[in-house]
Amino acid sequence: MTEPNETKQKAIIVGVQLKNGADFEYAMMELRNLADACYIEVVDELSQKADRINPPHYIGTGKIQELRALMEARECELVVFNDELSPSQIRNLEAELACTVIDRTILILDIFAERAKTREAQLQVEVARLQYSLPRLVGLRASLGRQGGGSGLKNRGAGETKLELDRRRIEERITALQAELEKLVATRQNQRKKRKKNEMPVVCLVGYTNTGKSSLMNALLEAYDPDTTKQVFAKDMLFATLETSVRSIELPDNKSFLLTDTVGFVSQLPHHLIKAFRSTLEEVTEADLLVHVVDYAHEDYEQLVTVTNETLGELGADGIPTVYAYNKCDLTEHPYPMRSGNSVYMSVKEGQGIQELIEVVRSHIFANYVKKDILIPFNQGKLVSYFNEHAHVMSTSYEAEGTRMLIECSTADYERFKNDFVEVDAES
């Protein structure tokens, strides 16, 4: 991929608009953004309306001639297609156009490869790239000359023999990477089990790429721990965050929850990536509550919401309770901060709507808390310390029989310790 300080490579983007297809204009605009993230300058666009994709060339022969003339006029040698191309389509298009042909999938894979920072993310991206390239070796390696013929490896040409070796090498590499990934996944699952033992609720930030999930996580961290040094990376660009980050949010009344930031979604997210990142995205399915962060200033934000919900459905997370955080309201006419049912209109950039969002989150994840007036015998001093640390203590007084406390605690803590204290005023 071209570095940002080098001259941008010029390209033409090409898409087929199917009659029953999704929002085509939006998909093409997104393809421009993906190309830009790969430091590719889109100089023109070509589209075709059709009932179906042309199997050999993706577009019709007339459009190929039109594309060839456009490339000559624009002096560019790169064409980016809006859909994932088959190995034969890449081969045929490169032969017809005599240029480099890439698709949406390889753009996304390139962006992920550049953004991946942790070992797990790097492994996941490399597996996805290798799985994508394996059936496309011929198209992607134009230098291979398929000479000779006949049966058996000894009768094959130099190019074909090289192809076999390349394929075997890639398959071996995928196996090795997956073995290393499995060890990291096992570690992640152990961490998840420990978190479950702590019985802390898990809130997961989900949403389209570049809607402000990581910025929201940082804003929540700073609101409840001003001295924190655990901020996550946040930047105004596609797929700024590929790593799953987990942080503990400690509220003033001793309630706390784990907040998880995940990789952003995008339309037509390559299935190789979903498969490779499944262990990371599983964090979503384990959540008690999802906070769906929406870029409310985006002209097509409803489409972004639809794509995210479809991806959540693919992961099996569509049944988890969800709160909507409509971010970037400072760029719209909509009033904020404002709460409406399970939706909060906010601006993370201006720090507006944080409290309103927390109140909505509270109403979901702390619904099982109970309010109790209890008397703890003096010989159970450890229990007083525990509730001071893990419950919301509204009042404390000392009586002849022990310490009396009015507390709000989780049902789990109440059940665990109910034989160690006396209820003064049991509430349902």
Side-chain angles (χ1 to χ4, degrees):
M1 186 161 32
T2 309
E3 291 301 317
N5 57 349
E6 291 181 16
T7 306
K8 281 190 174 184
Q9 194 172 6
K10 290 199 251 180
I12 294 168
I13 59 172
V14 179
V16 173
Q17 184 174 4
L18 300 173
K19 284 183 179 175
N20 58 348
D23 189 337
F24 179 72
E25 292 299 323
Y26 174 73
M28 292 297 279
M29 182 185 74
E30 186 175 78
L31 188 63
R32 282 178 178 269
N33 292 336
L34 290 169
D36 186 58
C38 286
Y39 315 114
I40 294 169
E41 181 188 355
V42 176
V43 293
D44 217 324
E45 180 177 320
L46 184 74
S47 61
Q48 177 177 22
K49 290 183 179 179
D51 293 329
R52 66 189 182 100
I53 299 292
N54 182 296
H57 293 93
Y58 180 75
I59 52 176
T61 51
K63 282 290 176 183
I64 287 179
Q65 291 173 2
E66 195 179 326
L67 179 56
R68 201 183 290 127
L70 199 58
M71 288 173 61
E72 201 173 313
R74 290 294 193 172
E75 296 181 340
C76 69
E77 295 180 351
L78 175 66
V79 183
V80 184
F81 288 81
N82 187 41
D83 297 284
E84 185 170 312
L85 299 173
S86 69
S88 62
Q89 284 171 338
I90 292 176
R91 195 161 57 246
N92 294 339
L93 285 164
E94 287 189 341
E96 288 281 349
L97 299 168
C99 73
T100 305
V101 169
I102 61 175
D103 58 19
R104 170 186 280 261
T105 299
I106 203 69
L107 279 184
I108 295 173
L109 289 171
D110 275 0
I111 296 168
F112 269 58
E114 186 183 288
R115 305 275 198 267
K117 296 292 184 288
T118 65
R119 180 62 182 157
E120 186 176 10
Q122 288 165 349
L123 288 173
Q124 288 165 328
V125 173
E126 191 177 348
V127 166
R129 282 166 69 98
L130 290 172
Q131 287 172 334
Y132 172 84
S133 66
L134 192 56
R136 294 170 174 81
L137 284 176
V138 179
L140 295 173
R141 299 188 85 258
S143 59
L144 288 181
R146 301 195 64 157
Q147 307 147 4
S151 60
L153 192 62
K154 66 179 180 180
N155 290 326
R156 295 180 184 179
E160 202 159 354
T161 307
K162 180 82 167 69
L163 195 65
E164 289 291 339
L165 292 172
D166 280 357
R167 187 172 282 124
R168 192 175 307 141
R169 202 172 288 125
I170 287 176
E171 286 169 347
E172 287 170 358
R173 179 72 177 147
I174 289 173
T175 303
L177 291 170
Q178 286 177 330
E180 191 176 342
L181 260 175
E182 279 174 20
K183 292 176 186 174
L184 294 172
V185 169
T187 304
R188 183 184 290 281
Q189 286 171 340
N190 286 335
Q191 290 170 342
R192 212 179 282 154
K193 281 178 187 173
K194 284 179 185 175
R195 293 204 295 266
K196 276 194 170 181
K197 278 184 182 177
N198 293 338
E199 292 171 343
M200 282 180 75
V202 177
V203 177
C204 195
L205 299 174
V206 297
Y208 213 74
T209 181
N210 205 26
T211 55
K213 296 183 298 299
S214 299
S215 297
L216 176 56
M217 175 177 256
N218 288 339
L220 288 166
L221 283 168
E222 287 160 18
Y224 295 101
D225 184 9
D227 299 323
T228 186
T229 56
K230 294 185 177 180
Q231 288 95 342
V232 296
F233 179 71
K235 193 173 178 182
D236 183 16
M237 64 181 183
L238 297 175
F239 303 115
T241 306
L242 297 188
E243 287 72 42
T244 295
S245 305
V246 182
R247 300 288 186 271
S248 177
I249 303 293
E250 312 283 341
L251 301 177
D253 57 1
N254 283 339
K255 291 190 180 81
S256 58
F257 62 90
L258 292 173
L259 185 65
T260 305
D261 184 21
T262 59
V263 61
F265 300 143
V266 70
S267 63
Q268 300 175 60
L269 192 64
H271 66 277
H272 299 296
L273 270 178
I274 291 179
K275 192 176 175 184
F277 273 76
R278 184 163 290 279
S279 62
T280 304
L281 293 169
E282 274 174 6
E283 294 284 348
V284 177
T285 64
E286 299 286 331
D288 298 293
L289 178 70
L290 302 181
V291 175
H292 187 154
V293 185
V294 181
D295 178 356
Y296 196 52
H298 197 289
E299 59 184 13
D300 216 351
Y301 74 89
E302 289 174 341
Q303 175 69 13
L304 309 190
V305 170
T306 300
V307 168
T308 301
N309 287 336
E310 285 171 355
T311 311
L312 289 170
E314 278 185 56
L315 294 168
D318 46 345
I320 299 172
T322 303
V323 167
Y324 286 87
Y326 291 99
N327 188 26
K328 305 187 185 180
C329 285
D330 53 300
L331 303 175
T332 73
E333 299 297 317
H334 199 284
Y336 69 96
M338 189 179 108
R339 175 182 173 179
S340 175
N342 284 328
S343 298
V344 176
Y345 295 87
M346 62 191 302
S347 167
V348 173
K349 185 180 177 183
E350 295 184 354
Q352 298 289 315
I354 303 296
Q355 291 301 325
E356 287 79 0
L357 180 62
I358 284 293
E359 288 310 313
V360 179
V361 169
R362 273 176 182 275
S363 66
H364 282 272
I365 61 174
F366 300 123
N368 66 337
Y369 269 54
V370 291
K371 192 174 173 183
K372 298 290 178 182
D373 192 354
I374 61 174
L375 185 66
I376 301 173
F378 286 122
N379 64 358
Q380 293 286 349
K382 285 183 180 178
L383 198 52
V384 175
S385 299
Y386 182 87
F387 282 131
N388 274 319
E389 190 176 339
H390 296 95
H392 180 205
V393 179
M394 288 167 272
S395 66
T396 304
S397 59
Y398 301 96
E399 302 188 359
E401 297 85 4
T403 307
R404 184 172 176 177
M405 303 176 82
L406 181 62
I407 64 168
E408 188 184 19
C409 68
S410 67
T411 304
D413 276 351
Y414 168 73
E415 292 295 333
R416 187 186 303 150
F417 299 116
K418 66 180 180 181
N419 295 326
D420 298 326
F421 56 70
V422 177
E423 281 189 53
V424 179
D425 180 24
E427 290 184 28
S428 58

